[in-house]
Amino acid sequence: MTDVVKEAAIKALLWDNDGVLVDTEHLYFEATQRVLASAGVELSEQQYIDHFLVEGRGAWHLLEDRGVSAKEIARLRDERNELYGRLLRQGPRAIPGVAETLQALRGRYVMGVVTSSRRDHFDLIHEHTGLLQYFDFVLTASDYPRVKPHPDPYLAAVERSGAGAEACIAIEDSERGLEAATLAGVRCIVVPTALTCGGRFERAHRVLASVREIPGALDVVIE
């Protein structure tokens, strides 16, 4: 039996942001790592991958386990967010090939960004990327009650797209993103990054090496 992915069958493409459109994940890791270190917790890259990119729970529980108060954790969270914002102001970080890929797909599909990022960080990221011109809508963390790996972001995106879940394709780079899309009934193409390349993506519709492969992948017949 064949599973045919034809352009006519897909009406909407739902894009993750960090790691898919822009190379920012390592900056979030750096900001979190530096702030946790100031509180005596050394966050390794593997811990970051596990807690953020797989579980989607963050790392503040590492401070809770040490008895750090909720008030102090809130202060450190604000400090991390402010530091991340400063790092983002260093300039555009569009992933190579993204602009050309979006240009090739524009007009063929409804396209939306579906991210767990805060809106202020998202706006900083895209202040100079020029990528938002290709999208019909943007959904950020404030637009749903729960972020990825919960299905809420993709359920909201499906509704906003005007297409059914079966007519949408999510484009993600992490296990938590794949989980969110799968729980919402949306097929998912995964394009792993250096941080997520060791992930388990068995439930992905396709796993690609580059965003440049996406247009062709949408018309592939999978045996």
Side-chain angles (χ1 to χ4, degrees):
M1 189 171 181
T2 60
D3 177 15
V4 182
V5 184
K6 294 292 186 182
E7 180 180 337
I10 302 302
K11 297 179 180 178
L13 301 181
L14 310 176
W15 299 73
D16 179 39
N17 185 58
D18 302 279
V20 172
L21 300 177
V22 289
D23 182 19
T24 50
E25 199 68 62
H26 66 289
L27 297 179
Y28 202 67
F29 170 42
E30 178 184 343
T32 304
Q33 185 182 52
R34 285 168 58 178
V35 168
L36 287 179
S38 73
V41 172
E42 298 299 327
L43 182 70
S44 69
E45 182 177 284
Q46 188 57 53
Q47 284 178 307
Y48 180 82
I49 292 169
D50 291 341
H51 297 324
F52 286 82
L53 303 179
V54 178
E55 302 164 7
R57 65 186 296 202
W60 303 112
H61 65 284
L62 300 177
L63 295 179
E64 293 172 354
D65 294 343
R66 291 189 170 214
V68 178
S69 70
K71 182 178 180 180
E72 177 63 7
I73 289 175
R75 185 191 71 77
L76 290 168
R77 188 193 300 270
D78 289 342
E79 184 179 327
R80 188 277 309 278
N81 289 337
E82 197 277 332
L83 174 57
Y84 180 52
R86 293 205 307 270
L87 294 174
L88 290 175
R89 289 185 179 91
Q90 294 175 358
R93 297 179 176 272
I95 289 194
V98 162
E100 297 90 333
T101 299
L102 294 173
Q103 175 64 43
L105 296 171
R106 178 161 61 177
R108 296 169 58 189
Y109 308 94
V110 173
M111 294 205 292
V113 180
V114 187
T115 179
S116 294
S117 292
R118 290 161 44 123
R119 185 70 199 215
D120 57 340
H121 288 155
F122 181 86
D123 289 342
L124 270 177
I125 289 168
H126 288 286
E127 191 171 8
H128 301 294
T129 65
L131 298 180
L132 297 188
Q133 63 179 307
Y134 299 109
F135 294 98
D136 300 289
F137 64 89
V138 169
L139 298 175
T140 62
S142 60
D143 293 309
Y144 7 84
R146 300 176 300 176
V147 296
K148 303 169 189 178
H150 298 288
D152 306 39
Y154 282 108
L155 292 173
V158 167
E159 181 176 0
R160 183 69 178 272
S161 74
E166 70 285 351
C168 296
I169 290 283
I171 302 166
E172 282 282 352
D173 70 307
S174 68
E175 288 183 63
R176 73 172 181 178
L178 172 60
E179 176 76 2
T182 301
L183 289 174
V186 175
R187 287 175 288 182
C188 186
I189 290 174
V190 175
V191 186
T193 66
L195 281 173
T196 64
C197 61
R200 300 184 60 181
F201 301 122
E202 294 88 350
R203 291 186 295 170
H205 184 66
R206 296 289 303 279
V207 179
L208 305 178
S210 167
V211 292
R212 293 185 174 96
E213 299 177 9
I214 290 171
L218 294 172
D219 297 318
V220 165
V221 178
I222 304 174
E223 299 295 336

